[in-house]
Amino acid sequence: MNAPLVSIKNVDFAYQKQLVLSDVSLSIFERDFIGIIGPNGGGKTTLVKAILGLLKPQKGSVEHSLEKSEIGYLPQGNQVDENFPITVKEVIASGLEHGLKIEFRKTKGRQRKVEMALERVGMDALRSRPIGELSGGEFQRTMLARAIISSPKLLVLDEPDTHVDNQFETELYSLLKELNEQMTILLISHDIGIISPYIKTIACVNRDLHYHTSNEISEEQLKVYNCPIEIITHGTVPHRVIKEHIHR
Amino acid sequence: MDLLELFKYGFIQHAVLAALLMSVACGITGTYIVSRRMVFISGGITHASFGGVGIGYFLGFPPLAGAAVVAVLAALTTENLTRRKVLRNDSIIAILWSLGMAIGIIFVYLTPGYAPNLMSFLFGSIITVTSTDLWLMLALALTVSAVFILFYKPILYVAFDEQFARIRGIPVMFINYLLIILVALTIVLSIRTAGIILVLSVLTIPQNITNLFTNRFSHIMIGSVVLGFFASLLGLILSYYLDIPSGATIIFTLVLLYLVARLIKVVIFGR
């Protein structure tokens, strides 16, 4: 087996004195598609921020075998000011920026990548729109394009399906499945029912991390993992999330 | 008096140049301030700088130089303490705001004799700017323009989403500190023309007028420079004919323009 892209070893993280992650270990390999689930405040976002190098754990280590610039990131919706005066195209292009470069000419390669990213998420018609005038779904499409424009090796998504319409939700997950053929994906979600058909494995995070090597999980298992999340049922799925389940 | 004749006066020419340079610096940095919701921080830096004015009077060096040093210190302190989460951000600002004013008042009181220009620091005096002031303002306007032209993208990206910018390897701290220093210097040089009490309006009103019609960072910057200059000129002329203080008249003009712009937007665009 290849060396992991990211290996997290015995990580503790605390905000002030509140321990959010305790002795967390996880290895992320190429082509993984890990669904990160857990209750609110359980440390999901903290974990990915540690992986991204935005937070430094008090104990343990996070080692990468990839460059920081090879990570694509879609943050939680509340991280940015939705009324900031910036256009869709500018946001997406920012995903290509690297370091502090001074350049005045728009290079053709860059332009083409922006065009492709716009097309891929279906935002080409709205390219000049300021983000303040977008719907929830359009905003997340833009943020997704920014995350994938650099063709990252690792794609980290923090609840990309908040405030989006059903149509985009379906499109989003099938696009991610397609992207997974080229890149490793870490997906935080509050809804295991929706992501289950697309992911490969599950990480339950609630201060501890329990790694579950299947994309299906039962309420009983979640209990064992000390990971009390509500399994939102879609249609007639009472307790168990099954593989064939298709979200409409 | 004829309007053209008015512009033959040296002090009016100086005032017009000062208005232009102030509009360039404030139009650009103000867009950053407004977009990043840093108006309150800017208010804190502005008022804290009065401490420098007081110390300058007391020790006998140019008050504006004192203001510049204190403003930059206040800006760096705010930025640093906020990042390290030592105190709540708005509390830090309030403390520096009043501390600076307190220091200023004490030193002005301790200075023997009468501080004749005190009022001009509080309310600005665009018609008494000297050529030294103008050279300093020119240097600032050029620096601000150069920084924003060279680093436009990184500045925009850091202001929009700092964490993402950090992952992309943009030197976020460098941009943040560079910009907060530029904000402090812009404020200090605008104190000469708009005054401590009024400078905030030059940094926010043109931006908010432009923002009614465009949602693009670059357009807001350019629009604010033009509008700021227009309002300053109009205010200057009005203050001359009505024989009222120039700084206050400029602010009044700006607010009036904002209301007119809002009205235009409602009537023409229907929202």
Side-chain angles (χ1 to χ4, degrees), chain A residues 49 79 81 95 97 99 146, chain B residues 37 161 163 168-169 215 217:
Chain A
K49 286 195 175 170
Q79 187 183 302
D81 176 0
E97 195 75 5
R146 179 183 75 164
Chain B
R37 299 174 193 256
D161 188 347
Q163 296 198 329
R168 295 306 311 165
N215 235 326
F217 198 84

Side-chain angles (χ1 to χ4, degrees), chain A residues 49 52 54 69 73 75 79-81 84-87 90 94-95 97-100 102 104 128 130-131 133 146 150, chain B residues 35-37 149-154 156-157 159-161 163-164 166-171 174-175 215-217 220:
Chain A
K49 286 195 175 170
L52 293 164
L54 293 171
S69 59
Y73 176 44
Q79 187 183 302
V80 299
D81 176 0
F84 191 93
I86 189 168
T87 62
E90 285 173 320
S94 75
E97 195 75 5
H98 186 44
L100 193 64
I102 297 168
F104 296 102
S128 302
I131 55 157
E133 294 169 18
R146 179 183 75 164
S150 59
Chain B
S35 305
R36 269 201 114 166
R37 299 174 193 256
I149 289 169
L150 288 175
F151 300 129
Y152 179 75
K153 279 191 199 165
L156 181 68
Y157 300 156
F160 173 60
D161 188 347
Q163 296 198 329
F164 189 83
R166 217 186 306 166
I167 294 172
R168 295 306 311 165
I170 299 172
F174 169 74
I175 297 278
N215 235 326
R216 277 195 190 202
F217 198 84
I220 298 177

Side-chain angles (χ1 to χ4, degrees), chain A residues 226-241:
Chain A
N226 182 31
C227 197
I229 58 158
E230 211 180 318
I231 293 190
I232 305 163
T233 54
H234 300 272
T236 53
V237 191
H239 288 294
R240 201 170 147 76
V241 179

Side-chain angles (χ1 to χ4, degrees), chain A residues 3 10 28 39 53 113 134 160 167 173 175 184 195 203 212 219 228:
Chain A
N10 311 103
I28 303 165
K113 279 186 185 163
L134 300 178
Q167 189 209 334
Y173 290 119
L175 176 61
T184 306
I195 65 170
H212 184 74
E219 274 186 358

